[in-house]
Amino acid sequence: MHVPDGFINAPVSAAAGVVAAGAIAVSLRGARRELDERTAPLAGLVAAFIFAVQMLNFPVAAGTSGHLLGGALAAILVGPCTGVLCVSVVLLMQGILFADGGLTALGVNITDMAIVTTVVSYVVFRGLVKVLPRKRRSVTVASFVAALLSVPAAAVAFTLIYAVGGTTDVAISKVATAMIGVHVLIGIGEAVITALTVGAVIVVRPDLVYGARGLQKRLKLRVGGELVDVPTAVAPVAARASHRKVWITGLVTSLVLAGFVSFYASASPDGLEKVAKDKGIDTRTGKHATGDSPLAGYGVKDISDARVSGGLAGVIGVGVTVVAGTGVFWAVRRRRTSDTTPTSVPEGV
């Protein structure tokens, strides 16, 4: 789904850039409400995990592969506003370091892969959670459906953008049929990965899953023969010991996926690449501005061994993404803290 330079004309790319910038500004403000001292580090880890899993293309049809988009996963784990930022950080790292997704098309990619997938998936998720039984299993089921629908929604969004700003004369009906058809199949893979990941986290630390908030029972203490709620400042203490373990486990998993498992990913073109080649959309693809990057193409320049080259690039990508993401989210969290710190009142007032 990464749109390269040349697919969309300059005016529409610029307009998409404005939309993306506005959405990121809104998301930065919204993320202040979603992030706390527990979820700020998790958000950076979610970005790194999405980066790692996006390197694992899986076959979906003859000669076509797909990979995780990540909007649904991020929105459910850390919140919709933070989710937009997570996927945007991933897209920025991929475009600058690995020449994946055009830099002039960055606004298009953020609009399509970060905003559309996150908004659609979270709306569907919240709707399902309201009607399903208030159980943890319902969160996993809702995650599956939300992720499944988010991918064809992104395909529809790309088709609409291409209808307005496409640089080749291809019938939109053909583009829509091909894009939606293959991305429905990719959506199944997205749904499986999202549901498995959300399910794994919710079993270990349900308090870290943004979409599960409100489903947890408050801890109780017996005081004077009566049960009372444990204060919120005390309740998380028992869970803090496992917080670091969850973070380390997630980071190690991301490094293994990007550094080792990615070597066995499908080499077939992904959904957009396949459609673009079959329908002639790619005839005006431009040269990527960072095409000569030492990490372009998810390999390290001058390392001839493909396994080592790709694995090292993956590890570097995970490292850079987790550092960049964690830095952004800690800054947002600190801004929230400073905004909510009470100011002193002068005497006599």
Side-chain angles (χ1 to χ4, degrees):
M1 192 71 77
H2 292 77
V3 179
D5 297 314
F7 275 28
I8 308 299
N9 63 31
V12 174
S13 295
V18 172
V19 171
I24 289 175
V26 172
S27 297
L28 284 169
R29 293 182 63 86
R32 296 180 197 173
R33 299 188 299 270
E34 295 171 352
L35 294 171
D36 56 30
E37 66 278 359
R38 297 168 301 159
T39 55
L42 179 64
L45 179 61
V46 168
F49 182 77
I50 290 173
F51 174 89
V53 180
Q54 282 197 3
M55 294 184 66
L56 309 180
N57 281 46
F58 48 86
V60 295
T64 310
S65 69
H67 62 70
L68 182 80
L69 298 186
L73 177 62
I76 295 165
L77 286 180
V78 292
C81 292
T82 309
V84 169
L85 299 178
C86 282
V87 181
S88 298
V89 168
V90 173
L91 293 172
L92 184 62
M93 295 299 101
Q94 290 172 332
I96 293 176
L97 298 179
F98 300 94
D100 189 9
L103 295 185
T104 62
L106 184 60
V108 174
N109 284 320
I110 290 177
T111 300
D112 193 21
M113 296 176 65
I115 302 171
V116 171
T117 59
T118 301
V119 171
V120 170
S121 63
Y122 198 70
V123 168
V124 172
F125 175 81
R126 294 310 309 176
L128 289 174
V129 167
K130 288 182 179 180
V131 300
L132 291 173
R134 294 177 62 82
K135 297 180 179 179
R136 293 177 183 177
R137 182 176 299 176
S138 297
V139 175
T140 304
V141 172
S143 300
F144 182 94
V145 178
L148 176 65
L149 296 178
S150 70
V151 179
V156 171
F158 169 79
T159 302
L160 294 176
I161 293 172
Y162 189 81
V164 178
T167 56
T168 56
D169 187 17
V170 179
I172 299 304
S173 59
K174 294 182 178 180
V175 176
T177 301
M179 283 292 293
I180 296 172
V182 71
H183 283 91
V184 166
L185 298 177
I186 295 173
I188 297 174
E190 179 100 10
V192 171
I193 295 170
T194 300
L196 288 175
T197 305
V198 171
V201 177
I202 206 170
V203 166
V204 180
R205 287 292 301 273
D207 59 305
L208 292 181
V209 179
Y210 184 88
R213 293 181 179 180
L215 299 181
Q216 304 154 244
K217 293 182 179 179
R218 291 286 298 274
L219 295 178
K220 301 282 187 178
L221 286 177
R222 187 173 295 278
V223 179
E226 296 183 0
L227 291 176
V228 297
D229 290 335
V230 175
T232 55
V234 177
V237 171
R240 288 173 188 165
S242 65
H243 188 188
R244 182 175 299 178
K245 184 182 295 185
V246 170
W247 197 91
I248 293 174
T249 301
L251 180 60
V252 171
T253 301
S254 300
L255 291 171
V256 170
L257 291 175
F260 177 74
V261 181
S262 62
F263 180 77
Y264 301 98
S266 173
S268 299
D270 66 24
L272 178 58
E273 290 174 331
K274 179 65 173 176
V275 171
K277 183 177 180 181
D278 290 346
K279 305 302 178 183
I281 297 175
D282 60 353
T283 55
R284 295 190 180 181
T285 302
K287 184 181 182 338
H288 200 286
T290 61
D292 295 327
S293 164
L295 299 174
Y298 296 95
V300 178
K301 190 176 181 180
D302 297 329
I303 295 182
S304 57
D305 188 297
R307 186 190 298 270
V308 175
S309 178
L312 184 56
V315 168
I316 293 173
V318 168
V320 172
T321 303
V322 76
V323 169
T326 301
V328 168
F329 298 122
W330 267 118
V332 172
R333 169 62 185 160
R334 286 174 62 86
R335 180 67 179 272
R336 172 187 172 178
T337 303
S338 64
D339 288 346
T340 56
T341 301
T343 55
S344 59
V345 179
E347 293 185 10
V349 176

